[in-house]
């Protein structure tokens, strides 16, 4: 994404190809002997805090935009960072569920760059 100011107007130019390439590079499955590691990339598009709730909007490696919600149970000690982490964990959980849905439906998954 590039931002340019022309007079009082801010022009934002999105480059979706760059986002998809970056997310594809971040998303991989690697095997090393008896050990396996998975890495999954998400792009945070928006975070809305409404104490005690947070709404996270993100884009996945397929270019799909999704939202997840999280709640901070301890309202008196509301911590934006912790509730954002909770929302991110929910987002990754959704993406892992989607991996199994794609695999079970025999749809082509994005390139996991198996190394």
């Amino acid at each position: 994404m590039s931002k340019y100011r022309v007079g009082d107007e801010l022009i934002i130019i999105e480059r979706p190809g760059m986002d998809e390439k970056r997310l594809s590079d971040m998303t991989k499955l690697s095997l090393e002997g008896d050990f396996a590691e998975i890495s999954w990339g998400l792009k945070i598009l928006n975070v809305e805090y409404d104490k005690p709730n947070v709404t996270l909007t993100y884009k996945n490696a397929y270019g799909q935009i999704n939202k997840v919600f999280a709640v901070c149970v301890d309202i008196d000690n509301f911590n934006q960072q912790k509730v954002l982490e909770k929302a991110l964990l929910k987002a990754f959980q959704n993406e892992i569920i989607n991996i199994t849905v794609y695999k079970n439906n025999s749809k082509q998954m994005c390139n996991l760059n198996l190394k």
Side-chain angles (χ1 to χ4, degrees), residues 4-97:
Y4 302 95
R5 182 161 299 282
V6 179
D8 292 336
E9 186 177 352
L10 179 65
I11 299 173
I12 299 174
I13 300 173
E14 297 273 343
R15 293 188 296 178
M18 295 296 287
D19 286 348
E20 290 168 6
K21 175 158 179 23
R22 173 88 169 122
L23 289 172
S24 179
D25 290 345
M26 293 173 67
T27 303
K28 60 184 172 276
L29 173 65
S30 58
L31 298 171
E32 192 174 309
D34 294 341
F35 297 92
E37 178 182 29
I38 189 167
S39 173
W40 201 262
L42 298 177
K43 180 174 182 181
I44 298 172
L45 299 177
N46 191 24
V47 181
E48 297 172 22
Y49 295 99
D50 183 19
K51 193 174 176 179
N53 305 315
V54 65
T55 303
L56 169 67
T57 306
Y58 68 93
K59 183 171 23 172
N60 64 17
Y62 304 110
Q64 300 165 332
I65 296 175
N66 299 304
K67 283 188 178 189
V68 291
F69 307 94
V71 178
C72 180
V73 179
D74 188 3
I75 297 170
D76 295 334
N77 296 316
F78 182 81
N79 182 319
Q80 285 186 343
Q81 183 68 28
K82 295 223 182 251
V83 76
L84 176 57
E85 288 172 6
K86 189 174 181 180
L88 282 167
L89 289 171
K90 285 187 171 191
F92 284 114
Q93 181 181 21
N94 285 347
E95 292 303 310
I96 289 170
I97 290 168

